Amino acid sequence: MSEEIRVLLVDDQELVRSGLRRILRRKDGFDVVAECADGDEVPAAVAAHSPDVVVMDLRMKRVSGMEATRRLRALATDRHRAPPVLVLTTFRDEELLSEALRAGAAGFVLKESSAEELIRAVRLVAVGESVLDPAITASVLDTYRNAGSPSKADAAALGRLTARERTVLELIGRGLTNDEIAAELVISVVTVKSHVGAVFRALGVRDRAAAVVFAFDHGVVAPRG
Protein backbone atom coordinates (compact mmCIF):
# COMPACT_ATOMS: atom_id res chain seq x y z
CA MET A 1 0.00 0.00 0.00
CA SER A 2 1.26 3.47 -0.88
CA GLU A 3 1.85 6.16 1.75
CA GLU A 4 -1.49 7.71 0.84
CA ILE A 5 -4.53 5.43 1.00
CA ARG A 6 -5.87 5.10 -2.53
CA VAL A 7 -9.67 5.08 -2.47
CA LEU A 8 -12.26 4.13 -5.09
CA LEU A 9 -15.70 5.64 -4.42
CA VAL A 10 -18.74 3.73 -5.70
CA ASP A 11 -22.15 5.37 -5.32
CA ASP A 12 -24.88 6.20 -7.82
CA GLN A 13 -25.41 9.64 -6.28
CA GLU A 14 -22.86 12.27 -7.32
CA LEU A 15 -23.79 14.37 -4.30
CA VAL A 16 -22.77 11.51 -1.99
CA ARG A 17 -19.49 11.00 -3.83
CA SER A 18 -18.79 14.73 -3.60
CA GLY A 19 -19.34 14.64 0.14
CA LEU A 20 -17.04 11.64 0.50
CA ARG A 21 -14.32 13.44 -1.46
CA ARG A 22 -14.53 16.36 0.96
CA ILE A 23 -14.09 13.98 3.91
CA LEU A 24 -11.34 11.76 2.46
CA ARG A 25 -8.89 14.58 1.78
CA ARG A 26 -5.33 14.32 0.57
CA LYS A 27 -4.08 16.33 3.55
CA ASP A 28 -5.45 13.58 5.80
CA GLY A 29 -3.64 10.87 3.88
CA PHE A 30 -6.21 9.85 1.27
CA ASP A 31 -6.15 9.90 -2.51
CA VAL A 32 -9.51 9.38 -4.23
CA VAL A 33 -8.17 7.82 -7.40
CA ALA A 34 -11.48 7.14 -9.15
CA GLU A 35 -15.25 7.13 -8.83
CA CYS A 36 -17.95 4.80 -10.13
CA ALA A 37 -21.67 5.50 -10.48
CA ASP A 38 -22.64 1.82 -10.60
CA GLY A 39 -21.32 -1.56 -9.57
CA ASP A 40 -20.71 -2.73 -13.13
CA GLU A 41 -17.93 -0.12 -13.44
CA VAL A 42 -15.97 -1.42 -10.46
CA PRO A 43 -13.79 -4.22 -11.93
CA ALA A 44 -12.43 -1.96 -14.68
CA ALA A 45 -11.81 0.90 -12.23
CA VAL A 46 -9.95 -1.42 -9.86
CA ALA A 47 -7.82 -2.75 -12.71
CA ALA A 48 -7.01 0.76 -13.93
CA HIS A 49 -6.35 2.51 -10.61
CA SER A 50 -5.31 -0.18 -8.07
CA PRO A 51 -7.12 1.29 -5.06
CA ASP A 52 -6.24 0.24 -1.52
CA VAL A 53 -9.90 0.43 -0.42
CA VAL A 54 -13.25 0.45 -2.22
CA VAL A 55 -15.98 2.45 -0.46
CA MET A 56 -19.14 0.87 -1.84
CA ASP A 57 -22.81 1.74 -1.78
CA LEU A 58 -25.09 -1.30 -1.74
CA ARG A 59 -28.11 -0.28 -3.81
CA MET A 60 -27.43 0.87 -7.35
CA LYS A 61 -29.41 0.68 -10.58
CA ARG A 62 -27.59 -1.90 -12.70
CA VAL A 63 -25.24 -3.91 -10.47
CA SER A 64 -25.55 -3.76 -6.70
CA GLY A 65 -22.61 -3.17 -4.40
CA MET A 66 -23.10 -6.68 -3.11
CA GLU A 67 -22.73 -8.22 -6.56
CA ALA A 68 -19.80 -5.93 -7.35
CA THR A 69 -18.09 -7.16 -4.18
CA ARG A 70 -18.65 -10.78 -5.22
CA ARG A 71 -17.12 -10.04 -8.63
CA LEU A 72 -14.05 -8.49 -7.03
CA ARG A 73 -13.58 -11.54 -4.79
CA ALA A 74 -13.94 -13.81 -7.83
CA LEU A 75 -11.22 -11.87 -9.68
CA ALA A 76 -8.73 -12.25 -6.82
CA THR A 77 -5.87 -14.71 -7.35
CA ASP A 78 -2.81 -15.74 -5.37
CA ARG A 79 -0.84 -13.04 -7.20
CA HIS A 80 -3.50 -10.34 -7.43
CA ARG A 81 -5.26 -9.31 -4.23
CA ALA A 82 -8.69 -7.77 -4.51
CA PRO A 83 -8.93 -4.49 -2.55
CA PRO A 84 -11.04 -4.66 0.62
CA VAL A 85 -14.57 -3.32 0.36
CA LEU A 86 -16.07 -1.01 2.99
CA VAL A 87 -19.84 -0.88 2.59
CA LEU A 88 -21.37 2.54 3.15
CA THR A 89 -25.16 2.47 3.31
CA THR A 90 -28.23 4.31 4.56
CA PHE A 91 -30.08 1.08 5.17
CA ARG A 92 -30.32 -0.62 8.57
CA ASP A 93 -31.24 -3.86 6.82
CA GLU A 94 -29.78 -6.81 8.72
CA GLU A 95 -30.42 -9.30 5.89
CA LEU A 96 -28.79 -7.01 3.33
CA LEU A 97 -25.75 -6.28 5.45
CA SER A 98 -25.23 -9.88 6.54
CA GLU A 99 -25.32 -10.84 2.85
CA ALA A 100 -22.70 -8.16 2.17
CA LEU A 101 -20.41 -9.91 4.66
CA ARG A 102 -21.05 -13.21 2.90
CA ALA A 103 -20.13 -11.54 -0.38
CA GLY A 104 -16.75 -10.61 1.08
CA ALA A 105 -17.09 -7.06 2.41
CA ALA A 106 -14.52 -6.15 5.05
CA GLY A 107 -17.12 -4.23 7.01
CA PHE A 108 -19.73 -1.53 6.90
CA VAL A 109 -20.61 1.90 8.23
CA LEU A 110 -23.85 3.83 7.98
CA LYS A 111 -24.04 7.04 5.97
CA GLU A 112 -25.24 8.78 9.12
CA SER A 113 -21.82 8.12 10.71
CA SER A 114 -19.56 11.07 11.46
CA ALA A 115 -16.65 12.07 9.21
CA GLU A 116 -14.24 10.90 11.91
CA GLU A 117 -15.90 7.47 12.02
CA LEU A 118 -15.67 7.11 8.24
CA ILE A 119 -12.01 8.17 8.18
CA ARG A 120 -11.17 5.67 10.93
CA ALA A 121 -13.05 2.92 9.10
CA VAL A 122 -11.26 3.49 5.79
CA ARG A 123 -7.87 3.53 7.53
CA LEU A 124 -8.60 0.30 9.39
CA VAL A 125 -9.89 -1.54 6.34
CA ALA A 126 -6.85 -0.40 4.35
CA VAL A 127 -4.52 -2.23 6.77
CA GLY A 128 -6.56 -5.43 6.87
CA GLU A 129 -8.83 -4.77 9.84
CA SER A 130 -12.59 -5.20 9.72
CA VAL A 131 -15.13 -2.54 10.66
CA LEU A 132 -18.66 -3.38 11.76
CA ASP A 133 -20.77 -0.38 12.74
CA PRO A 134 -21.56 -0.82 16.46
CA ALA A 135 -25.05 0.61 15.97
CA ILE A 136 -26.19 -2.52 14.15
CA THR A 137 -23.43 -5.12 14.46
CA ALA A 138 -25.20 -7.39 16.95
CA SER A 139 -28.41 -7.66 14.93
CA VAL A 140 -26.55 -8.13 11.63
CA LEU A 141 -24.38 -10.92 12.98
CA ASP A 142 -27.37 -12.48 14.72
CA THR A 143 -29.12 -12.58 11.35
CA TYR A 144 -25.99 -14.07 9.79
CA ARG A 145 -25.66 -16.82 12.36
CA ASN A 146 -29.41 -17.65 12.19
CA ALA A 147 -29.09 -18.27 8.44
CA GLY A 148 -27.76 -21.74 9.17
CA SER A 149 -26.37 -23.99 11.86
CA PRO A 150 -22.60 -24.24 12.31
CA SER A 151 -21.23 -27.30 10.57
CA LYS A 152 -19.34 -30.04 12.39
CA ALA A 153 -16.37 -29.31 10.13
CA ASP A 154 -16.34 -25.70 11.29
CA ALA A 155 -16.58 -26.77 14.91
CA ALA A 156 -13.60 -29.06 14.36
CA ALA A 157 -11.66 -26.11 12.90
CA LEU A 158 -12.32 -24.16 16.10
CA GLY A 159 -10.86 -27.05 18.07
CA ARG A 160 -7.59 -26.76 16.16
CA LEU A 161 -6.86 -23.34 17.65
CA THR A 162 -4.39 -23.03 20.47
CA ALA A 163 -5.56 -21.33 23.67
CA ARG A 164 -3.80 -18.10 22.65
CA GLU A 165 -5.27 -18.22 19.12
CA ARG A 166 -8.77 -18.70 20.54
CA THR A 167 -8.21 -15.66 22.76
CA VAL A 168 -7.12 -13.67 19.71
CA LEU A 169 -10.24 -14.83 17.85
CA GLU A 170 -12.40 -13.68 20.76
CA LEU A 171 -10.76 -10.26 20.74
CA ILE A 172 -11.20 -10.01 16.96
CA GLY A 173 -14.85 -10.86 17.47
CA ARG A 174 -15.15 -8.09 20.05
CA GLY A 175 -13.93 -5.65 17.39
CA LEU A 176 -10.42 -4.97 18.69
CA THR A 177 -7.74 -3.90 16.22
CA ASN A 178 -4.31 -5.52 16.11
CA ASP A 179 -2.86 -2.65 18.15
CA GLU A 180 -5.61 -3.03 20.76
CA ILE A 181 -5.12 -6.81 20.92
CA ALA A 182 -1.38 -6.29 21.42
CA ALA A 183 -2.07 -3.94 24.33
CA GLU A 184 -4.66 -6.30 25.84
CA LEU A 185 -2.34 -9.32 25.72
CA VAL A 186 0.88 -7.36 26.35
CA ILE A 187 2.56 -8.71 23.21
CA SER A 188 3.92 -7.07 20.06
CA VAL A 189 1.78 -6.16 17.07
CA VAL A 190 4.00 -8.43 14.95
CA THR A 191 3.13 -11.35 17.23
CA VAL A 192 -0.55 -10.46 17.01
CA LYS A 193 -0.38 -10.49 13.21
CA SER A 194 1.22 -13.92 13.36
CA HIS A 195 -1.58 -15.20 15.60
CA VAL A 196 -4.24 -13.64 13.36
CA GLY A 197 -2.75 -15.35 10.30
CA ALA A 198 -2.72 -18.67 12.15
CA VAL A 199 -6.38 -18.19 13.11
CA PHE A 200 -7.35 -17.49 9.49
CA ARG A 201 -5.54 -20.61 8.28
CA ALA A 202 -6.98 -22.86 10.99
CA LEU A 203 -10.54 -21.68 10.42
CA GLY A 204 -10.28 -21.46 6.65
CA VAL A 205 -11.53 -17.87 6.58
CA ARG A 206 -10.39 -15.30 4.05
CA ASP A 207 -10.28 -12.13 6.13
CA ARG A 208 -11.03 -10.43 9.42
CA ALA A 209 -14.73 -9.88 8.77
CA ALA A 210 -15.17 -13.60 8.10
CA ALA A 211 -13.33 -14.34 11.34
CA VAL A 212 -15.68 -12.01 13.24
CA VAL A 213 -18.68 -13.82 11.76
CA PHE A 214 -17.11 -17.19 12.67
CA ALA A 215 -16.61 -16.02 16.25
CA PHE A 216 -20.28 -15.07 16.60
CA ASP A 217 -21.51 -18.07 14.62
CA HIS A 218 -19.73 -20.50 16.95
CA GLY A 219 -20.39 -18.80 20.26
CA VAL A 220 -16.86 -17.53 20.84
CA VAL A 221 -18.44 -14.08 21.21
CA ALA A 222 -22.08 -13.47 22.07
CA PRO A 223 -24.08 -10.73 20.30
CA ARG A 224 -25.00 -7.79 22.48
CA GLY A 225 -28.49 -6.56 21.87
Side-chain angles (χ1 to χ4, degrees), residues 120-176:
R120 177 179 182 273
V122 174
R123 285 176 174 159
L124 287 174
V125 168
V127 296
E129 305 279 3
S130 93
V131 177
L132 305 178
D133 192 307
I136 50 176
T137 292
S139 56
V140 169
L141 291 176
D142 205 25
T143 298
Y144 191 114
R145 73 189 302 198
N146 288 337
S149 300
S151 70
K152 292 181 180 179
D154 286 343
L158 184 61
R160 289 195 293 270
L161 297 179
T162 66
R164 175 49 61 93
E165 288 165 357
R166 186 179 176 108
T167 299
V168 169
L169 175 61
E170 179 184 352
L171 296 176
I172 290 173
R174 283 167 44 192
L176 274 65

Side-chain angles (χ1 to χ4, degrees), residues 42-43 46 54 56 67-76 82-85:
V42 172
V46 167
V54 179
M56 182 94 74
E67 177 59 26
T69 300
R70 288 195 191 97
R71 293 181 184 182
L72 282 182
R73 299 276 79 75
L75 291 174
V85 173

Side-chain angles (χ1 to χ4, degrees), residues 61-140:
K61 293 179 181 178
R62 297 188 298 274
V63 172
S64 70
M66 198 178 309
E67 177 59 26
T69 300
R70 288 195 191 97
R71 293 181 184 182
L72 282 182
R73 299 276 79 75
L75 291 174
T77 65
D78 290 338
R79 296 183 61 187
H80 297 91
R81 168 182 168 273
V85 173
L86 176 66
V87 168
L88 184 63
T89 181
T90 57
F91 301 101
R92 291 174 174 263
D93 186 325
E94 289 85 357
E95 291 286 350
L96 195 65
L97 289 169
S98 65
E99 188 60 28
L101 293 178
R102 292 182 190 278
F108 52 81
V109 292
L110 298 176
K111 287 183 179 178
E112 65 191 47
S113 300
S114 67
E116 291 76 14
E117 289 169 330
L118 175 61
I119 287 171
R120 177 179 182 273
V122 174
R123 285 176 174 159
L124 287 174
V125 168
V127 296
E129 305 279 3
S130 93
V131 177
L132 305 178
D133 192 307
I136 50 176
T137 292
S139 56
V140 169

